Amino acid sequence: MPARTRRTLPLASAIALVALTATACGDGADAASGGGKTQVRIAYQAIPNADLVVKNRKLLEKALPDAEVKWVKFDSGADVNTAVIAGSVDLGLAGSSPVTKGLSAPLDIPYKVLWIHDLIGENEALVARKGITSVKALKGRKIATPFGSRSHYSLLAALDSAGLKESDVTLVDLQPQDALAAWQRGDIDAAYVWTPTLTELAAKGGKVLVTSRQIAEQGKPTADLGVVTDAFAVKHPEIVDAWLRAEDQAVKLAKSDPAKASAAIGAELNVSPADAQKQLAQLALLTAEEQQGADYLGKPGAPGALAGDLRDAAVFLKAQKAVDAVPDRSVFAKSLAVKELSRVVK
């Protein structure tokens, strides 16, 4: 058996904690503010993509003056899944691995993949201490990554490519900021995490051994995905459409005027616009029209290759005993919100 250290809150306890917030927020698609406005609750993460542009520039609030938009910050896709289960968010960002877990048993979360926030590139990587110059040199070492995350998925792919088995290393289950603290204490030898923690580790003498862009080129792509609960999508299609248009607008701004987009992202991450622009450049962003391509979400009647990528992630999660079984590809194909996406592409 592989050596592992897990430091996570049991799912039932985590759901109970989040449910306290959910009680105050309402019950999913029926959530409303005290003033009678429909409330849309959005889970976001500190990732330098166009979602932060939407938040910072209040694109959704401007598009929905009669709704109350509430942004809720989370540290990982696993936490977003917990919040969705508790009924405290309607839309959210999570990595492809947590979304795969959400769509598989035992979670079977009733949500759909609405958007590809970004394709992971150099913004997520395996970084090791000075003196460790290759993935193969990590044999016998201690490596941190959030278990069940897309980073965990990429880490195991990197180990396999280097001829190492999971049992050849000691894996430690840590969120990015906890991994940074462990690094500073000298408790770990390497970490597979994303920016801004990745940037901090590199600045503290870490050496990047392999990036998620390189892992994707080896046939194991990962992404940050936008999900919407089935109930909210059915009850509030106009809000879903407005959200999609806002995300598309932000992506187009990031492509046409990265300096302006980076200023918004930097304000959200509390970093300089120049640093934000460097981080933004490490991601691949897609417009709504591009996401209709066969390699991504696809179109009604022709779901894209993302369905197959999610199933591949399910195979990985099953091997980790993180899901009960690997769903058929058709399950993931049905979870792609291609109908909703098609409504906003002209």
Side-chain angles (χ1 to χ4, degrees), residues 2 11 13 27 34 58 72 150 155 165 190 194 201 207 235 253 276 278 283-284 317:
L11 180 61
S13 298
D27 58 350
K58 298 187 182 299
V72 187
R150 58 168 191 263
L155 170 59
K165 296 177 295 205
W194 52 88
L201 290 175
K207 175 181 174 59
K235 188 164 187 179
L253 178 66
K278 289 178 183 177
L283 295 167
L317 290 170

Side-chain angles (χ1 to χ4, degrees), residues 17-32:
L17 288 174
V18 176
L20 295 175
T21 303
T23 301
C25 292
D27 58 350
D30 292 323

Side-chain angles (χ1 to χ4, degrees), residues 56-78:
N56 182 263
R57 295 177 68 86
K58 298 187 182 299
L59 299 184
L60 192 57
E61 288 86 343
K62 293 172 184 176
L64 298 169
D66 295 327
E68 180 183 344
V69 180
K70 180 178 180 181
W71 293 84
V72 187
K73 187 177 180 181
F74 291 88
D75 292 327
S76 71

Side-chain angles (χ1 to χ4, degrees), residues 209-235:
L209 302 181
V210 65
T211 70
S212 288
R213 188 183 299 278
Q214 293 169 306
I215 298 298
E217 290 169 354
Q218 297 169 11
K220 300 291 185 182
T222 52
D224 285 312
L225 305 175
V227 296
V228 61
T229 66
D230 291 349
F232 193 86
V234 169
K235 188 164 187 179

Side-chain angles (χ1 to χ4, degrees), residues 106-129:
L107 296 185
D108 291 320
I109 300 175
Y111 60 25
K112 291 182 178 180
V113 179
L114 189 65
W115 187 252
I116 300 173
H117 283 289
D118 55 72
L119 302 176
I120 307 302
E122 287 82 10
N123 69 304
E124 190 167 294
L126 175 59
V127 59
R129 291 192 180 279

